[in-house]
Amino acid sequence: MEGFFKKKLPIKRKLPSNEQQTSSQEMQSSAQEQQIEVNLDELPLDPGKRIKMSAYHLNDRDKIRKVYLQRGPFQPTKHTFPQRKIGSSLRRFCPSWYIEFGNWLEYSIEKDAAFCFSCYLFRPDFGKKAGGDSFVTEGFTNWKKKERLSSHVGGPNSAHNLAWKKFQDFKKQNQHMEVLLSNQSEQVCDVYPSFLTTTIESIRFILEQGSALCDVESTDSADQGNFVELLKVLFQSKESRSLVVLENASENHQSITPTIAKDILNVAALETTNAIISDLGDELFGILVDEACDISNKWQMVVALRYVNKKGSIVERFLGIVNVKEITALSLKMQIEELFCKHGLSISRIRVQGYNGASNIQEQFSGLKNLIIEENPYAFYVHCFAHPLQCMLVAMAKNHIQVASLFNSVSTLLNVVRGPCKQHDVLRERQIVNVREALEKGEIPNEQGVDQETSLKQAMDTRWNSNYTTLINLLKMYSAITDVLEIVKEEGLNADQRAEANGLLLLFEEFDFAFTLHLMKNVLGVSNELSQALQRKYQNIIDVMDLVNITKQRLKDMRNNGWDSLLQEVISFCNMHTINIPHMEDVFCPKGKSRRGDKAQAITVERHYCVELFYAVVDIQLQELNDRFTVTNTQLLLSMACLSPIDNFSTFDKTMVMEFAKFYPREFSPIELMMLDAQVENYIIDVRSEVEFASLKGINDLSEKLVKTRKHIVYPLVYRLLKLAMILPVATATTERAFSAMRFVKNMLHNRIVDEWMNDYLVTCIEKDVFNNIDNELIIQRFHVMKSHNEQL
């Protein structure tokens, strides 16, 4: 089925006969006589990476030209063009030349060179006459001699102008030989435009319902999937004649197939992404990156953009999902560069980057972050508050094998005791008895309105407090859980379940399990308030940063002074539940190792639990907090808080605002900093005196109000700084939504959907508000240009 959606074009390196005379040496190369499979969707955009058109087989060139014609010349404008020394001066490519020289001029980021789009597509390969070859393969780099661009164009019969004429003729599909030789049916011509419109509306409807565009094995299948079946119903209800005409059309005109859904969806995704890039314009932006493994066990990386639109609103847009074949920092960066190149973006325009700190490839993301900062030192990293901090701390703690064993055992335990209804009911009854006994003994306060019944829930990575709550409830229900495990051990449904319960019972009787359980409960308890604060809808950044410092200090105090109290807490718990307590002065012997170890390496039981477990875990937590909240990003967040309009701009601090601007020397020159110093004084007096600014809830509201009242024109430097503050990703869920959609569309029933097909689906599904605003006619016209269809619209 994968081949049904992924068309690969066999490309022959062997040159046609009419070019053999000028390329005889190339023809002798055995490598050029081989056939190479090339995915049309993966043809390189950057002209410096392209293969010469003459290297492709003659019969394949028009298909490749159509793809490049649909994409247009590669003209990045947001790239930071490097300077090079030519003579005694520094020179660089000027993007204004795109306008001056038209649609033939291209620029290669890879080679820092200029190329000719029309000559690449249509200029015959007969050497370097008129300097044409330098604009096709080598690239023009002498920025000092701009007149060479004009000389490349030449006179009416120059190689460039002949290629340009072929370029223009090729764009007019009526003049294309494929169309001229086509014997079209008048009935198909009448029906086809209506069919395409109905097809697009069908895709819109399916995406709106959150359904998958299901594929089928063959056209003979009884159920041909959501798309085809819906299309048939629509045509039957509208005009049965249309359905008959299209079904009975010749092979060249066959249209009611699942393949057309893939083709039109691809066009719709391209138009949706183009609309997003157009909305971004020349604004600076942040990137949000996350990864996950799909149902086919392929690593997928999601990239989203965060920027301020023309209305002053902060928006996050899904840019694309990329299959990561090699999981290294350098490979991830190359994938992002390729995606940026495809959409005309540049890493130099990034001002903030955010990653999922709980990712399975967190180390690679850290390396990626550093690689981007090396290229662009103003692409600051800021921890995204929407990524649950507690889940990240747990993920980091799992680097310690005993902590990882604890959470694995807890996960297994929850599956056993929360399995069949009988076990769940027994657990509930045992807990009710234990609570009543504790109330009678005065161990639990009997207060009205206090819910004394505790439930044991599975820890979820998407809930900030799930791990902490699970550990607390596990400690509270220890006796009840032990009773349930005893029952399962004797009355389990099968031998595997009984053996699993027996293993857990043995684990519950170990001091090691009890100690690690209490340790993680206490450690996560220190960060509990911070985790809650990070998840609030309206965050007071200053309060959050205070909590960060408090959490760090409490962890330091725990490390320095918390060992004795933790040990006594564990010993008391073990005595209560009759768990054997080892002698702290004995020599520690790890499981699976002989007691006859090297005497020089022998340590006591107390040292093992204190140094190798307690200190190690607390140090991991401190290191993770320090990495996530560095001096730089803490200063950025505090500076951002000073721009908040809450409580009539109560947190405003001019000194902090000016310090914030100094983080961005590319956006604020020394002269502009002096102007900002004066402008910000006028700004704060103005907005504090305006009634309509008094009830704003955050900087997003402030930005929108400035645009609405046109004060962003009055205070341009303040507004520029505000936009930089807004793209800091303190709260985002775009990447999580992308993976949720990916798991839906690529499930067990459709686990062979190829990457391009899945990307197109996700773009149109996640950004359906953008897709819904794209006119059907625009999609039809692009579809018409991109594909080799015979039907004339």
Side-chain angles (χ1 to χ4, degrees), residues 516-543:
T516 311
L517 181 61
H518 280 82
L519 170 62
M520 289 310 301
K521 184 265 297 182
N522 290 354
V523 168
L524 294 181
V526 171
S527 62
N528 186 43
E529 286 74 21
L530 176 59
S531 295
Q532 294 183 65
L534 293 176
Q535 294 299 299
R536 293 194 184 109
K537 184 175 182 180
Y538 295 110
Q539 297 149 342
N540 186 322
I541 302 299
I542 294 178
D543 289 346

Side-chain angles (χ1 to χ4, degrees), residues 341 634 711 719:
C341 181
T634 298
K711 290 186 184 293
Y719 184 62

Side-chain angles (χ1 to χ4, degrees), residues 385 529-530 532-549 629 634 636-652 697-699 730-731:
F385 290 0
E529 286 74 21
L530 176 59
Q532 294 183 65
L534 293 176
Q535 294 299 299
R536 293 194 184 109
K537 184 175 182 180
Y538 295 110
Q539 297 149 342
N540 186 322
I541 302 299
I542 294 178
D543 289 346
V544 169
M545 291 300 104
D546 286 342
L547 279 173
V548 169
N549 293 328
F629 299 99
T634 298
L636 282 169
L637 292 172
L638 287 173
S639 300
M640 182 185 74
C642 293
L643 294 168
S644 173
I646 297 175
D647 296 330
N648 200 24
F649 300 86
S650 60
T651 60
F652 177 80
K697 296 296 184 181
I699 60 173
V730 292

Side-chain angles (χ1 to χ4, degrees), residues 42 76 93 127 157 164 204-205 237 356 359 376 388 390 448 472 476 486 548 581 619 623 674 678 680 694 710 779 785:
E42 294 180 354
F93 179 85
N157 295 320
W164 180 255
R204 291 188 193 275
F205 175 79
S237 62
N356 182 356
S359 165
N376 175 10
Q390 199 173 89
Q448 186 176 3
I472 288 179
K476 286 184 178 181
E486 290 283 2
V548 169
I581 303 171
D619 287 344
Q623 184 62 48
M674 295 175 65
V680 76
R710 301 185 66 79
I779 296 175
V785 172

